[in-house]
Amino acid sequence: MASVNFIYRSHKENAPLKVRLQDKDVNNDSYQFEANTKIHTSKEFWNGKLKKDKNGKLKDGRNLENYSVLPVRLLSYQKLSGTNLGSQLNEINEKTKNLENFILEKYEQDKPTKENKEWLKSIIKEYYTPKVEKRIYPTILVDFIDFYLQDMKAINELKESKRKRVNTTKNKIIRLQAELNKTYRITDIDDYFKADFVSFSTKYKYSQNTQSGDFQRIKTICKHASKKGLQVNDVIFETDFKITKAKSPKIYLTYEDIDAIKKAELKHDYLENARDWLLISIYTGQRISDFMRFKSDMINTDESGRKFLKFIQQKTGHEMYLPIRSELIDILNKRNGEFPRQISDQKYNDFIKEVCKVAKLNSICEGKKRICLETDKSKATKYDYRDVLGKFEKWELVSSHIGRRTFATLNYSKISTPNLMYFTGHTTEKEFLNYIVLPDKDKANRAYDSFANMDANKTKQRTLEVVRNDAVNQ
């Protein structure tokens, strides 16, 4: 019967143990395998020769629990787990026992020949660096999407908003498959799939921008599949394999709109609460996922008495320090320094529309409004709502993003673009400029005024320097 022993065979004071497996062949001849382990100990600890008397004391009279050196072979001393010595002994025993069990189990499975001297070394290597089983990914697209989400979660790149968007896209593919009675594999994502997807999306009145976002997610998922070794169609790597976005009209609140919102006579407390959140979003430029979490304990005062709002942006993970403007202080003072009550995203969107309607923001604007396609709303499902382009009264187009767009638009050219991008959390200027709702001519006029002010300041500075030099010469 095979047996495993651990041996200290180094001349050094501290070294790893060796392990030896011994057995006999059919002729009763002994043979053995030997290899190094990663179990480190000291020569004194392993080779100590101590004996205890019937009273549990060492022969030299010292109490066992006060003795700092003990040989591992005295396993009866494991009871000393409360002492440093007992702890060390238990640790060594646990490591050797676990490795012994692993070796014997593998020996029974592999049944290596006695000539295979490298067998034990390979087993020790496997013990300390276990093989990671290769994950088997499905090749059907909708099945792979679940694995994609798991992978993104494993590397902390799956926010709740992303998970919802991906699952929405997945559900559309499932509906498309059911309608066409076909199953799409990852290798099927090509121009024919694109045609099917566009036809389906158009039939059910999904906007071009919604189609573009869904299609981009599908491409991203397929690229992930390629990284995992699955076969994909090369077309997914082509830049023109996409659904082009349509330019979507956006609105923002003018200074006159903001003044009307402030002065609106609201009859309900929930509208007053929503109005203050809307104003907070205008003064801070933050996403609803961030500003709706604001609390008074996020306010910090520096050594100069300046107040800042300190928080972590949920989407980007950036640490933010927002200067607290006087308008924001006025809102906090209404509630003894506290922010308004938190409400859900859906209620916020509904309530600020009511606020803007009371404020009489009735000008006709082009934009997208979410409507129900089902005439009988009692039968409507989540698939029956669409953002439809048209001309509506301004209050109907107000949503949670309007505060952020208003902040970026009203402060464009007044605050430097890098500073504005810091406040909004945009990482590229292209993304940031999408939030600027001004026509190109207005943007150019603002840029012109900024350059004119810079030139005027330089001229003023040169004049002051000349006057100062003349005064010195006199």
Side-chain angles (χ1 to χ4, degrees):
M1 181 177 179
S3 62
V4 173
N5 295 294
F6 294 88
I7 312 159
Y8 193 100
R9 297 190 62 182
S10 175
H11 295 294
K12 296 179 180 179
E13 292 302 317
N14 291 278
L17 296 174
K18 286 185 177 293
V19 61
R20 179 182 292 163
L21 182 144
Q22 294 177 309
D23 201 2
K24 292 182 180 181
D25 60 18
V26 292
N27 298 319
N28 210 32
D29 293 330
S30 297
Y31 64 91
Q32 64 185 31
F33 302 100
E34 190 170 292
N36 292 321
T37 75
K38 292 185 179 181
I39 303 173
H40 289 258
T41 185
S42 67
K43 181 188 295 186
E44 184 180 22
F45 181 86
W46 188 262
N47 294 328
K49 295 180 180 179
L50 305 177
K51 295 182 180 179
K52 63 175 182 176
D53 60 20
K54 61 182 180 179
N55 296 317
K57 290 185 177 182
L58 302 177
K59 279 192 174 181
D60 62 2
R62 288 173 292 183
N63 286 332
L64 187 63
E65 62 184 14
N66 294 327
Y67 200 84
S68 60
V69 180
L70 189 69
V72 170
R73 67 173 70 94
L74 298 179
L75 299 182
S76 60
Y77 291 168
Q78 284 185 348
K79 296 179 181 178
L80 298 176
S81 58
T83 69
N84 181 52
L85 176 60
S87 176
Q88 187 178 1
L89 177 60
N90 287 341
E91 182 182 354
I92 292 290
N93 280 334
E94 182 178 2
K95 289 180 178 179
T96 54
K97 191 63 178 176
N98 289 341
L99 182 53
E100 177 184 356
N101 291 339
F102 183 79
I103 292 171
L104 291 174
E105 182 179 344
K106 287 293 183 180
Y107 183 70
E108 183 65 25
Q109 291 175 3
D110 297 347
K111 295 181 172 53
T113 62
K114 62 182 180 181
E115 291 80 18
N116 187 3
K117 297 299 183 182
E118 297 298 312
W119 174 82
L120 186 56
K121 293 179 181 178
S122 67
I123 293 303
I124 297 299
K125 183 178 180 180
E126 181 181 343
Y127 179 78
Y128 289 113
T129 55
K131 296 178 182 177
V132 178
E133 290 187 12
K134 188 175 180 180
R135 195 176 191 188
I136 300 176
Y137 288 92
T139 57
I140 294 174
L141 179 59
V142 292
D143 294 340
F144 180 81
I145 289 175
D146 292 332
F147 284 74
Y148 167 77
L149 290 173
Q150 292 171 17
D151 288 349
M152 292 300 101
K153 184 177 181 180
I155 59 176
N156 287 326
E157 290 189 7
L158 183 65
K159 293 184 171 60
E160 180 62 15
S161 56
K162 180 177 181 178
R163 186 192 67 78
K164 287 181 178 179
R165 287 194 295 269
V166 171
N167 277 324
T168 297
T169 301
K170 173 188 170 183
N171 288 332
K172 289 177 183 176
I173 298 171
I174 292 173
R175 290 165 57 206
L176 170 62
Q177 290 183 151
E179 188 160 305
L180 299 182
N181 193 27
K182 65 165 64 173
T183 299
Y184 292 102
R185 296 186 176 275
I186 294 171
T187 51
D188 294 330
I189 307 309
D190 55 15
D191 287 316
Y192 293 106
F193 170 83
K194 178 181 174 181
D196 289 345
F197 189 79
V198 170
S199 177
F200 168 84
S201 300
T202 304
K203 175 182 177 181
Y204 290 101
K205 294 183 169 46
Y206 289 107
S207 72
Q208 188 170 333
N209 287 351
T210 298
Q211 294 180 37
S212 176
D214 285 326
F215 199 73
Q216 184 57 46
R217 275 187 284 279
I218 292 169
K219 282 184 63 176
T220 299
I221 291 165
C222 289
K223 288 177 180 178
H224 183 74
S226 177
K227 291 179 181 178
K228 296 302 176 181
L230 297 185
Q231 185 179 353
V232 298
N233 195 303
D234 290 340
V235 73
I236 69 165
F237 299 105
E238 296 178 6
T239 55
D240 60 348
F241 185 61
K242 64 181 179 180
I243 298 174
T244 306
K245 277 191 172 183
K247 193 169 183 179
S248 179
K250 300 178 178 69
I251 64 168
Y252 74 103
L253 299 174
T254 65
Y255 288 112
E256 292 77 13
D257 292 334
I258 297 171
D259 192 50
I261 290 170
K262 288 180 179 178
K263 293 178 179 179
E265 295 184 7
L266 305 175
K267 296 181 179 180
H268 303 286
D269 175 67
Y270 72 88
L271 293 180
E272 181 75 28
N273 191 74
R275 168 168 59 186
D276 286 346
W277 276 126
L278 175 58
L279 294 173
I280 288 170
S281 73
I282 292 170
Y283 297 138
T284 63
Q286 299 307 300
R287 301 176 181 87
I288 187 172
S289 58
D290 292 320
F291 73 72
M292 197 57 76
R293 295 184 295 115
F294 286 168
K295 293 183 179 179
S296 59
D297 58 11
M298 295 180 178
I299 298 174
N300 290 260
T301 305
D302 68 8
E303 61 278 1
S304 301
R306 297 175 299 184
K307 293 182 181 295
F308 295 86
L309 194 62
K310 180 182 176 183
F311 64 98
I312 304 293
Q313 282 188 335
Q314 195 171 76
K315 181 176 181 179
T316 66
H318 294 161
E319 186 175 56
M320 302 295 296
Y321 290 86
L322 292 184
I324 295 186
R325 299 165 58 175
S326 58
E327 296 93 339
L328 188 55
I329 292 175
D330 291 341
I331 294 173
L332 296 179
N333 287 341
K334 291 168 61 176
R335 298 175 179 82
N336 297 318
E338 297 297 329
F339 282 91
R341 296 187 310 278
Q342 294 181 353
I343 53 179
S344 69
D345 294 7
Q346 185 59 56
K347 286 184 177 180
Y348 175 71
N349 276 290
D350 292 341
F351 293 167
I352 61 176
K353 283 181 175 65
E354 288 189 55
V355 170
C356 292
K357 185 177 182 180
V358 175
K360 298 182 179 179
L361 304 191
N362 300 326
S363 59
I364 301 300
C365 302
E366 187 176 16
K368 287 185 176 181
K369 179 183 174 182
R370 196 160 186 80
I371 65 171
C372 181
L373 301 178
E374 175 60 57
T375 53
D376 185 354
K377 291 188 177 181
S378 63
K379 297 180 180 179
T381 68
K382 61 181 180 180
Y383 302 121
D384 295 320
Y385 290 87
R386 300 287 184 275
D387 291 330
V388 177
L389 181 64
K391 292 186 177 181
F392 307 95
E393 291 188 3
K394 192 170 190 176
W395 66 267
E396 297 180 272
L397 302 175
V398 169
S399 66
S400 62
H401 262 51
I402 198 167
R404 189 165 157 76
R405 286 201 187 95
T406 299
F407 174 87
T409 301
L410 295 183
N411 289 293
Y412 181 66
S413 80
K414 294 182 180 180
I415 300 175
S416 69
T417 298
N419 284 339
L420 272 179
M421 288 174 61
Y422 165 76
F423 292 137
T424 61
H426 287 106
T427 54
T428 67
E429 190 168 350
K430 182 179 179 181
E431 290 177 342
F432 168 75
L433 290 177
N434 285 332
Y435 269 76
I436 307 302
V437 190
L438 295 172
D440 290 340
K441 184 178 179 181
D442 287 352
K443 292 179 184 177
N445 288 337
R446 290 199 182 191
Y448 183 94
D449 293 340
S450 296
F451 285 126
N453 289 335
M454 289 170 58
D455 293 340
N457 289 334
K458 289 179 181 177
T459 302
K460 183 178 179 181
Q461 183 64 31
R462 284 196 295 268
T463 302
L464 290 173
E465 289 176 355
V466 171
V467 171
R468 193 180 298 113
N469 288 336
D470 288 345
V472 171
N473 293 332
Q474 289 177 357

